[in-house]
Amino acid sequence: GPTEYEVVMLPPLIISGTVVDAETQEPIKNFTLVHGIRWDNDRNINWETDSFNLKEFTHGQYTLTYSQPYPGHLIRIDAEGYLSARSRVFTSDEGTVTYDFKLEKGTGPHGVVLRPDGTPAQDADVYVVVSGRYLHFENGKPTNRPQDDGTEWAVTQDDGTFAFKGLLDDVDYKLVVLHEDGFADVSKQ
């Protein structure tokens, strides 16, 4: 057509840094990085916890490149034996940024799910529903795939046990359990 358009491309957002033990300053050998999106005027963060978006890193170092612009990018670091750590909000126009993490030792929600008769509930679904989010289900089954909207999810073992990697201390949540023998929920204490 007769109209000429000018398209301005933004450079990618590149975030890199180190992940160390807060006490010893030693690099964390293995950790998972979770990308979070904060939308305009929304206090909730959409953590992309599906396996496609999770990134595994080693030796206490990471580098990420984001070419998709969002109102706000965040990073959460999950590591076995540590509480999760969350970054500040990054904007898509910041260019190249360094952000280092110091992880505190700790564990996330864990426990045992029992049936009404007191025996372990094997293969129960346990969900972490963060304040401001919801879990919708019908006839004992979620109507959507919770992991697609950032909901943390685990399945109990043969002995009824479950465990999540460390979650943030400042996050309010409820654990919701679904099993063929019943339903339960408990708020963070």
Side-chain angles (χ1 to χ4, degrees), residues 27-165:
I28 303 295
K29 291 182 182 175
N30 299 295
F31 60 93
T32 303
L33 191 143
V34 184
H35 178 237
I37 301 169
R38 176 171 280 167
W39 300 100
D40 286 330
N41 300 319
D42 189 357
R43 293 182 1 192
N44 292 319
I45 300 164
N46 181 31
W47 295 109
E48 297 185 309
T49 57
D50 58 10
S51 59
F52 178 76
N53 286 304
L54 297 178
K55 307 287 187 223
E56 302 292 330
F57 290 92
T58 59
H59 307 297
Q61 296 185 357
Y62 73 93
T63 299
L64 293 169
T65 302
Y66 296 116
S67 56
Q68 178 69 34
Y70 288 111
H73 296 270
L74 291 97
I75 296 171
R76 188 179 83 206
I77 302 292
D78 294 336
E80 199 69 43
Y82 292 90
L83 296 175
S84 297
R86 181 174 62 193
S87 72
R88 67 173 177 82
V89 178
F90 302 99
T91 58
S92 295
D93 61 358
E94 289 188 52
T96 301
V97 180
T98 300
Y99 194 90
D100 297 326
F101 290 89
K102 294 182 179 183
L103 302 187
E104 302 283 343
K105 287 188 171 26
T107 60
H110 59 280
V112 179
V113 177
L114 302 174
R115 294 178 157 156
D117 66 4
T119 60
Q122 178 183 1
D123 295 325
D125 294 318
V126 183
Y127 302 92
V128 177
V129 183
V130 176
S131 178
R133 299 275 182 184
Y134 65 91
L135 177 65
H136 185 262
F137 54 96
E138 293 177 9
N139 299 321
K141 300 287 181 196
T143 57
N144 61 335
R145 291 175 13 126
Q147 62 272 28
D148 289 345
D149 68 5
T151 301
E152 304 282 345
W153 170 52
V155 178
T156 59
Q157 304 297 312
D158 293 346
D159 59 358
T161 60
F162 69 92
F164 291 93
K165 290 183 180 178

Side-chain angles (χ1 to χ4, degrees), residues 174-177 183-187:
K174 185 176 276 200
L175 294 179
V176 177
V177 180
F183 161 88
D185 69 339
V186 62
S187 293

